[in-house]
Amino acid sequence: MRILFKNAKIVTMNADREIIQGDLLVDGSQIVALGGAIDQPADQVIDLHGDLLIPGLIQTHIHLCQTLFRGQADDLELLDWLKLKVWPLEGGHDPDSLHDSALLGIGELFLGGTTTIVDMETVHHTEHAFEAILSSGLRALSGKVMMDDCNKDIPSSLREDTDASIQESVDLYEKYHGKGNGRLEVAFTPRFVISCTDTLLREVSRVAQEKNAFVHTHASENRGEIEIVESTRGMRNIIYLDKVGLTGPKLILAHCIWLDEAEKDILIQTKTRISHCPSSNLKLASGIAPIPEMMRRGAEVSLGADGAPCNNNLDAFREMRHAALMQKPLHGPTVMPAQSVFELATLGGARAIGHEHDLGSLEVGKKADLAVISLQGLHTWPNEHVDVYSQLVYQATASDVRLTMVDGQIVMKDRQLLTIDVPGLKVSATKSLNRVMARAGV
């Protein structure tokens, strides 16, 4: 398919951060021309009438497995949130419920212009989430969560053997990595230090390096978590992860709120990727990550919504707004300007997953992952003499997205999902939630 977008305001995010009035042509999965009036044949022509055309948004920390549990774990801090609600619910998943949960999340992401995610599933049935990713058209770096430290707080439904956990993760990598024209990549995803043994984390480091694969985990989200790590490992989170060989450009760490100076130095020197999740950090009262300082020192930072039970939305526009606003009372009004924040949600995400060469900006030769944003609402009016990045970060909402394309495929148009049966999914997801809650006993 050749699809021609006419009369757009194109927010390129190229090296010069050009904003171009004109057209953009997609051929197959790639952008083949943009700028000015393009007079070339196309199978479909879409007139945008001046709407914004932006790179598809990239979120680098999501739990599709938790979307089914939206609203089931409110007003708790992290460790209680996990022990009392989320772990039992995750342990109650069956193959169909996990598939439904993934599709629910994917549909919301498409409606909000997100085209790529870094995802962490639960212990069991991960292949069913992968199948949802492949069938829907999403681009994802995803993996099976690993939890082999069988302490009393982890329900029996989530406990697993170390060797079995590693083998299942390797098997998933071998079967699914690169599927869907490369849209699905597989990572190794140990949950966090306090649910994993030293043996598992060292082996994950070895296997990931052997396969040149990404590792995605949580770190330093909560002060109680850090106290447990210090009591069991004798050192702080980041120092421990560095010791077992996990830090580096192929490690994506969610949160990184409570860091001492040595840990900050390690993250910057090793170019470990930080996924900042502002809404989740606020809702769980986890804290405010030192993102302005880390960015100023050259850290690699991107954005994520985290899971639906701790947010309760997967809306990249809210994450951008919160990422900008939450730092201003601490550091002044000029910190985290809109253009810098928009970069975190586009090029920052692309860099985090090693795809800055083909994602994160609208340029000839890059993947056709994009979104169309309408600025016709009263909340975005007047839309003249206003900075585009200000409009995107401070004014626009997910409901302003009128089209989402991934890999050259339109997955949402005019607020209608094209790859997901929404009425059927609502019925199925409700049944799935009832089954899981009965099984989990929460």
Side-chain angles (χ1 to χ4, degrees), residues 8 16 31 70 77 87 89-90 98 129 158 177-179 200 227-228 231 320 332 340 349 367 391 418 426:
D16 296 325
I31 299 168
R70 191 193 314 271
E77 64 86 34
W87 281 346
L89 287 166
E90 281 192 21
L98 191 67
L158 291 183
H177 185 70
K179 291 281 189 179
L200 182 135
E227 290 171 4
I228 295 171
S231 69
M320 287 190 286
S340 297
K367 289 287 189 180
Q391 292 176 297
L418 304 183
K426 285 183 174 180

Side-chain angles (χ1 to χ4, degrees), residues 60 253 255-256 267 272-276 291 294 299-302:
T60 56
L253 280 184
H255 306 302
C256 297
L267 292 176
T272 296
R273 276 45 179 157
I274 299 169
S275 181
H276 178 39
I291 297 302
M294 297 300 284
E300 294 285 352
V301 180
S302 52

Side-chain angles (χ1 to χ4, degrees), residues 276-297:
H276 178 39
C277 305
S279 299
S280 170
N281 297 164
L282 290 170
K283 185 164 182 277
L284 293 175
S286 297
I288 299 176
I291 297 302
E293 176 193 351
M294 297 300 284
M295 289 175 62
R296 189 168 61 249
R297 295 178 59 185

Side-chain angles (χ1 to χ4, degrees), residues 376-419:
Q376 298 302 308
L378 291 182
H379 62 286
T380 56
W381 203 268
N383 65 7
E384 296 180 4
H385 310 293
V386 183
D387 178 75
V388 166
Y389 302 107
S390 173
Q391 292 176 297
L392 287 165
V393 172
Y394 296 128
Q395 299 174 21
T397 67
S399 61
D400 295 321
V401 181
R402 56 173 283 209
L403 182 146
T404 303
M405 171 181 278
V406 186
D407 212 39
Q409 178 186 17
I410 297 174
V411 294
M412 187 278 287
K413 186 178 181 184
D414 297 327
R415 307 304 297 162
Q416 299 299 309
L417 294 170
L418 304 183
T419 61

Side-chain angles (χ1 to χ4, degrees), residues 45-170:
V45 178
I46 301 173
D47 194 332
L48 299 186
H49 302 288
D51 283 346
L52 296 185
L53 195 56
I54 69 168
L57 300 174
I58 300 172
Q59 297 200 48
T60 56
H61 185 59
I62 296 283
H63 295 266
L64 289 179
C65 66
Q66 294 176 5
T67 320
L68 196 64
F69 312 138
R70 191 193 314 271
Q72 300 300 323
D74 290 343
D75 306 322
L76 295 167
E77 64 86 34
L78 174 67
L79 297 181
D80 287 341
W81 179 87
L82 288 168
K83 295 172 190 176
L84 300 177
K85 295 288 187 175
V86 171
W87 281 346
L89 287 166
E90 281 192 21
H93 263 308
D94 56 50
D96 289 341
S97 68
L98 191 67
H99 188 267
D100 288 343
S101 187
L103 283 181
L104 279 173
I106 293 166
E108 181 184 359
L109 292 163
F110 285 164
L111 287 163
T114 292
T115 55
T116 300
I117 64 168
V118 179
D119 175 45
M120 182 181 290
E121 289 302 320
T122 189
V123 171
H124 305 297
H125 316 304
T126 300
E127 64 274 16
H128 297 275
F130 284 0
E131 293 297 338
I133 290 168
L134 290 170
S135 68
S136 66
L138 182 68
R139 191 182 303 281
L141 172 65
S142 184
K144 171 198 126 54
V145 86
M146 308 170 82
M147 298 176 66
D148 73 323
D149 189 349
C150 299
N151 63 63
K152 62 180 176 59
D153 293 322
I154 297 175
S156 59
S157 55
L158 291 183
R159 296 178 186 178
E160 56 178 350
D161 173 76
T162 303
D163 292 340
S165 179
I166 293 166
Q167 188 60 56
E168 185 177 352
S169 296
V170 170

